């Protein structure tokens, strides 16, 4: 039996170094199996390739941020994070079936000067993905506006003034990356946390203050005007500005110790909180403070959150729909998970007093934005929506 022709795509494919003797049919079957395996592999979806480009841009941004001395470039960090966010949202839109191309009066996609299809820029993407008051959107908008105001000679001053917002830009990206595409795409194993150390000594604090004074007037004006239009809840949100309190660990080291330990404000006594505050003024503690919302007054129970989503849709949205959404988004742990407090605090919080979960207005906005058209609904749930008032058979349990 002769050997079948080998597809050109198999050139270079590994074959066993020692093939069974005499039986040429065995070798033929092996080659055919290799061919069949390659033929049956489905091609990667388009959004997957866009997502890989987004992750690559994020890695480049963090690399520029973490380079020491003059090797670092804050402008390159901002530019690459801009591209990372834009590709991330484009990938999500592609996955959901959302058309993010600009159309002409004839309904056809517009073209760029290079002949490429003109797609939404980052600001337009954030309008689709987030509500007007979402701190994530405001953080992105801040860096879009400051991008063309960065000069290399003033980058140290800029980092002092905006470093906490840069932390939020990266942390928000990682959170959205895993929330929208799953933990398989996380960058946590590839990136170092970009901590900007402002001071180790009292003299270091004075140096940072001097750097702030050197900030160009146009940048100072931009920051002042931008934040004048923000609500207090946005300005105080860690999704807009992520400030961290670091303190040295003393005593025996265990294998579970991390280089950086994050302390929750609600886990400290008044005396411990005051002690940290006092030490931060002497320069023995690094950076400022981390502010974190412990509980939101406008948080909603699952049934109320479901009702708010349903009220903004033209079709039926039941509790099992809502459950599928938070499960897919991963905003809270499964019911059987003992670590109940491990939620995505932007969208969900664990209420220990009542042993239940509550959801934020931001999560209601996110749910609505992802299923507010029949096409989006179908892409998310895999079935057509049922219009309100139409005959509907409840889901069997």
């Amino acid at each position: 039996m002769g050997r079948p022709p080998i597809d050109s795509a198999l050139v270079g494919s590994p074959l066993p170094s020692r093939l069974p003797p005499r039986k040429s049919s065995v070798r033929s079957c092996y080659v055919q199996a290799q061919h069949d395996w390659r033929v049956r592999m489905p091609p990667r979806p388009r959004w997957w390739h866009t997502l890989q480009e987004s992750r690559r841009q994020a890695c480049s941004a963090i690399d520029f941020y973490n380079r020491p001395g003059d090797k670092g470039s804050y402008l390159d960090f901002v530019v690459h994070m801009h591209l990372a966010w834009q590709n991330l949202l484009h990938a999500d839109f592609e996955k959901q079936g959302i058309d993010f191309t600009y159309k002409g009066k004839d309904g056809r996609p517009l073209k760029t000067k290079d002949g490429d299809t003109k797609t939404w820029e980052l600001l337009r993407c954030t309008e689709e993905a987030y509500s007007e008051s979402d701190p994530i959107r405001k953080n992105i908008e801040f860096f879009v506006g400051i991008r063309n105001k960065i000069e290399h000679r003033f980058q140290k001053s800029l980092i002092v003034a905006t470093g906490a917002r840069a932390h939020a830009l990266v942390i928000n990206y990682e959170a959205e990356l895993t929330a929208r595409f799953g933990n398989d795409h996380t960058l946590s194993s590839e990136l170092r946390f970009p901590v900007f150390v402002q001071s180790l000594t009292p003299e270091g604090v004075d140096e940072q203050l001097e750097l702030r004074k050197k900030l160009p007037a146009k940048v100072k004006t931009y920051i002042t005007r931008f934040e004048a239009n923000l609500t207090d809840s946005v300005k105080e949100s860690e999704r807009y500005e992520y400030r961290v309190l670091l303190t040295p660990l003393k005593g025996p080291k265990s294998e579970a110790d991390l280089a950086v330990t994050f302390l929750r404000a609600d886990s400290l006594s008044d005396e411990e909180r005051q002690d940290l505050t006092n030490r931060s003024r002497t320069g023995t503690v690094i950076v400022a403070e981390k502010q974190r919302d412990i509980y939101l007054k406008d948080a909603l129970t699952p049934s109320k959150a479901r009702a708010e989503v349903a009220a903004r849709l033209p079709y039926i949205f039941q509790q099992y729909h809502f459950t599928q959404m938070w499960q897919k988004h991963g905003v809270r742990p499964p019911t059987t998970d003992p670590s109940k407090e491990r939620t995505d605090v932007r969208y969900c919080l664990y209420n220990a007093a009542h042993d239940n979960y509550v959801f934020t207005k931001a999560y209601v906005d996110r749910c609505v934005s992802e299923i507010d058209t029949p096409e989006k609904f179908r892409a998310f749930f895999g079935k057509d929506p049922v219009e309100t008032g139409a005959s509907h058979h409840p889901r069997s349990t």
Side-chain angles (χ1 to χ4, degrees), residues 213-347:
K213 293 178 182 179
K214 296 178 182 179
L215 201 64
K218 63 179 180 180
V219 177
K220 290 181 181 178
T221 301
Y222 169 78
I223 294 175
T224 301
R225 289 180 176 176
F226 185 89
E227 296 203 331
N229 296 319
L230 300 180
T231 63
D232 290 341
S233 62
V234 170
K235 286 188 285 188
E236 294 171 2
S237 172
E238 64 186 30
R239 289 172 287 161
Y240 174 71
E241 187 172 16
Y242 196 93
R243 296 175 290 175
V244 193
L245 173 63
L246 304 180
T247 184
L249 291 177
K250 297 181 180 180
K253 179 181 178 181
S254 70
E255 293 183 358
D257 284 343
L258 297 175
V260 178
T261 299
F262 294 87
L263 300 177
R264 291 183 62 117
D266 57 346
S267 68
L268 302 174
S269 66
D270 292 339
E271 293 76 12
E272 289 171 330
R273 204 157 28 237
Q274 185 60 47
D275 178 58
L276 289 173
T277 301
N278 292 337
R279 283 194 283 147
S280 67
R281 292 171 182 163
T282 68
T284 59
V285 177
I286 305 172
V287 196
E289 73 282 357
K290 174 185 174 184
Q291 297 183 348
R292 183 185 183 98
D293 293 331
I294 297 175
Y295 191 78
L296 296 179
K297 294 181 179 179
D298 62 348
L300 304 166
T301 63
S303 60
K304 289 184 179 180
R306 194 279 316 166
E308 289 215 5
V309 174
R312 294 165 58 181
L313 298 175
Y315 29 78
I316 294 173
F317 183 79
Q318 300 284 28
Q319 199 67 41
Y320 64 85
H321 288 125
F322 185 73
T323 300
Q324 289 180 38
M325 295 200 79
W326 67 251
Q327 288 176 337
K328 186 173 182 179
H329 291 147
V331 299
R332 52 152 285 192
T335 305
T336 56
D337 193 325
S339 302
K340 297 182 178 181
E341 71 285 352
R342 292 181 181 177
T343 65
D344 186 335
V345 296
R346 298 167 301 164
Y347 303 126

Side-chain angles (χ1 to χ4, degrees), residues 150-158 211 214 216:
I150 299 177
E151 299 180 42
H152 185 75
R153 57 178 173 155
F154 295 121
Q155 74 171 8
K156 290 184 178 179
S157 298
L158 276 165
L211 284 172
K214 296 178 182 179

Side-chain angles (χ1 to χ4, degrees), residues 18 33 45 68 132 161 167 175 185 193 214 246 289 293 310 318 388:
R18 298 176 65 89
E132 172 65 27
H167 295 165
H185 296 282
F193 187 82
K214 296 178 182 179
L246 304 180
E289 73 282 357
D293 293 331
Q318 300 284 28
T388 304

